[in-house]
Structures are given as C-alpha cells and as structure tokens.
Amino acid sequence: MEYQLTKLAAIDIGSNAVRCQISAVLFFNGRYRLKRVEYVRYPLRLGADVFATGEIPPRKADKFVKFLHALKLLMEVHEVSHCLICATSAMRTARNGAAIAARIKQELDMDVQVIDGQAEALYINRVIEHVLEDNRHYLHIDVGGGSTEFNIYHDRRKVAAQSFEIGSIRRMQQEESGRTVEEMNGLWQRMEAWVRENARRYHVTRAIGTGGNINKLYSMSSAAPNKPVTKRQIQALLERLSGLSMNERVNIALLNPDRADVIVPAGHIYLAAMDWANVNSMIVPDIGLKDGMLQALFEQYFDEISPTVHPNILPVADVENGPLV
C-alpha cells in the first residue's frame, strides 16, 4: 500500500562536499518530526580550487552542474514538495561563483542561494538551540571547508556570533605550503582573540561541535555513545591520525579520501577553540546546516504542510533521522 508523505529537500553546497538530504514530514500525537528518507554526499571539493586559484575551473563546473542535475532527478522521483539550495564559502569566494549559479538557473531551473557566514549561522541556530540546556553557557564551533562559524549561547539565547574565513581546506593548504599562522593575514590571531574575549564575557563552560569532520572524529573516538567527547580524546585521536600516511588513513582507518586529508587540520581548529575558551569537553550532535535549512522550509511552508484539523500546532519540528518513538 502506498503511503503518501510530504517531503522537503535541502542541498548544502559546501567547500568540501555537496550534500542533499530529503526528509519526510511526520505528524503523530500532536508532534511534528522530520525523518530522513534520502541522503547523498559527493566530495566535489570546490574549495580546493577556489582557495588556490580564486575560481571554479570549467571541468569542475561541468561536474557541478551534472551532479545537481542528478539531484534534481532524485527529487522528482521522491516527489519533493519544496527544496532549498544554499552555497557557502567556496561559492561566495569564487570570482565565477555568480556566473555558475546563473548557469544552473538557466540549464536546470534551480535557484542557488550564495549565503554569507551570518546566514549560515542563522540556519544552524534553528536546530542547535534544541540541544541546549537551561542555565548553561555554550560555545558552538562549526568548521567547514572554507570558514569557521562561532556562536555563543547564554541560557539558550544566542548572544554573540562571528564567522572567520578559516576552514579545513584553507588550513590544509596553509600547512602544505609551509606558511605559519602569523602569515595568514592575522586571521588566526583575530579568531583566537574573539573566542577568548566572548568565552570570558559570557562564562562559557561547554562546547558544541558541528560539521562533518567533528562528527567523524566523534565516531572514531573513545567517547561513550551520546556523551561528550573530551579534549584529551580528540587530541589522542589527532595524534594517531597524524602519524598515518594518506594510504593508511584510507585503508586502515577507513576514511574516505576527501575526509582523510582534511580531518586533522579541521580537528586542530576545534581543539584550538576549546583551548581558547578553556573548556575540556564537547557535545557533538549530528546536526548541521542542512538540518537548519529543512527546518526553515518547514516553517516557510507550514500553512501548506499543516493538517487543517490541527490549526493551533506551532511550526516546530524535531530533527529526527531515526524512527518515531
């Protein structure tokens, strides 16, 4: 028997990978949930070219359009009702980013929104606030391929936020080139100063980490399931990975090649931020930009999605990748 579900889709065009998540809207016992029904990730690595040359090369642009075409067909098969597509650091940095977005609109009729760090943080804020506890003060760290977003939450309320154009791919390229932190135009020092000052001002005692690299580090660490990971556990894991060659990271640690080369540089950003904030453990919920985008779609089209027999239900959905419980 066919059971019809309303489906929403979010496409996150990051500096390291493009992610598409299709989620179904569930409603049961007066509660909404967004349940993942499809997830596709492809390591397009736009940032590797953009941060080195300033633009997306023609061959990769063609692959980019082809992959989005594949996602469009996938969404058609799933009968997705609404889709949101956002591009972050690599696309906003690329000299030809706007031209490629226009090409995608012309050839595929898909609207790519190139968003800044502040907009990226606002999307994530829609879902991160659900994992916070009352009377707690958090530093949220989100490391992408091209930028790192920081948010300070004081008693469930965001009180400070800042984006820095330092991410896993940029950091990797900096390390490979032999440039020191001091040669990064002072960005690293400004990032440290911002974290130290705001962590002190708002009495931060806990950290929350989001992003593909910290999720992978968490799954590889000795942290107990659903418990915080400690700074010492992250440090031990990074030291072990640093001692492995790329071949060993792929074939022994079983990391995908596009993860194997950036996971250590990304991990160093998380560790540094924890040091600056003087926190010793980190919560790692499996949520990120795509989840915030789905929440935004849910809220935008709530009047259409909501059953007419439940007119007073608020437009808030749980991020839910597992079954209803």
Side-chain angles (χ1 to χ4, degrees):
M1 180 181 73
E2 187 171 350
Y3 189 89
Q4 289 296 115
L5 290 171
T6 299
K7 296 177 184 177
L8 307 173
I11 299 176
D12 167 13
I13 302 168
S15 300
N16 194 42
V18 178
R19 301 168 182 84
C20 173
Q21 180 167 318
I22 299 174
S23 290
V25 180
L26 305 182
F27 181 80
F28 189 71
N29 283 343
R31 181 182 178 189
Y32 281 98
R33 288 188 178 178
L34 297 177
K35 180 185 182 296
R36 179 191 299 178
V37 295
E38 191 79 71
Y39 177 73
V40 180
R41 176 185 182 276
Y42 180 71
L44 192 61
R45 310 212 85 173
L46 295 176
D49 296 290
V50 172
F51 304 144
T53 68
E55 63 182 18
I56 301 168
R59 182 174 177 274
K60 186 159 287 187
D62 291 341
K63 185 178 289 189
F64 185 14
V65 174
K66 186 177 294 186
F67 183 62
L68 285 184
H69 187 201
L71 294 182
K72 181 177 182 179
L73 294 176
L74 179 66
M75 290 189 292
E76 288 177 1
V77 169
H78 272 283
E79 299 181 352
V80 167
S81 298
H82 302 286
C83 173
L84 178 61
I85 308 172
C86 291
T88 56
S89 184
M91 280 284 280
R92 68 176 175 253
T93 302
R95 289 191 294 267
N96 58 343
I100 291 175
R103 175 185 170 186
I104 292 167
K105 175 63 177 177
Q106 180 179 9
E107 295 184 17
L108 303 176
D109 194 27
M110 299 174 77
D111 294 307
V112 176
Q113 298 181 23
V114 181
I115 61 175
D116 59 19
Q118 183 178 8
E120 189 173 352
L122 287 173
Y123 277 122
I124 298 175
N125 182 62
R126 292 173 181 267
V127 288
I128 203 75
E129 62 186 19
H130 298 302
V131 303
L132 305 180
E133 296 180 23
D134 292 329
N135 302 313
R136 299 286 187 177
H137 314 311
Y138 298 86
L139 169 67
H140 172 221
I141 311 161
D142 184 76
V143 179
S147 65
T148 295
E149 321 300 330
F150 292 110
N151 300 285
I152 303 286
Y153 292 91
H154 189 274
D155 195 17
R156 285 186 176 268
R157 182 171 59 92
K158 185 161 73 171
V159 292
Q162 187 64 50
S163 176
F164 294 90
E165 294 296 298
I166 300 175
S168 60
I169 294 179
R170 291 185 197 266
R171 176 78 177 175
M172 177 185 67
Q173 291 176 338
Q174 172 254 324
E175 291 177 353
E176 289 177 345
S177 68
R179 286 180 292 157
T180 65
V181 168
E182 288 73 20
E183 294 174 306
M184 296 177 66
N185 299 321
L187 266 177
W188 188 264
Q189 292 91 331
R190 291 199 295 274
M191 189 162 72
E192 176 180 357
W194 190 92
V195 172
R196 285 189 184 278
E197 169 61 22
N198 285 278
R200 180 195 60 78
R201 177 183 300 173
Y202 296 107
H203 310 289
V204 164
T205 57
R206 294 189 173 188
I208 297 179
T210 55
N213 286 296
I214 194 62
N215 286 340
K216 177 56 68 173
L217 286 168
Y218 181 76
S219 69
M220 297 173 69
S221 75
S222 56
N226 301 316
K227 297 295 183 181
V229 61
T230 67
K231 190 165 59 175
R232 181 174 297 180
Q233 288 170 327
I234 297 173
Q235 181 66 57
L237 185 53
L238 290 178
E239 288 176 358
R240 182 164 66 87
L241 290 172
S242 296
L244 300 178
S245 65
M246 268 293 292
N247 188 48
E248 290 170 328
R249 293 183 194 182
V250 171
N251 292 288
I252 297 176
L254 300 179
L255 295 171
N256 291 331
D258 66 289
R259 182 74 67 204
D261 57 353
V262 297
I263 193 168
V264 172
H268 287 155
I269 298 175
Y270 286 103
L271 272 185
M274 293 175 75
D275 280 334
W276 300 334
N278 195 30
V279 294
N280 294 312
S281 64
M282 177 185 291
I283 301 166
V284 185
D286 186 17
I287 54 179
L289 176 60
K290 57 182 172 48
D291 302 293
M293 292 164 61
L294 287 165
Q295 174 67 27
L297 277 176
F298 176 78
E299 293 173 7
Q300 181 179 354
Y301 295 102
F302 180 72
D303 289 342
E304 173 186 321
I305 295 168
S306 174
T308 56
V309 293
H310 301 288
N312 298 320
I313 299 295
L314 295 176
V316 177
D318 291 337
V319 176
E320 181 66 48
N321 294 327
L324 269 167
V325 292

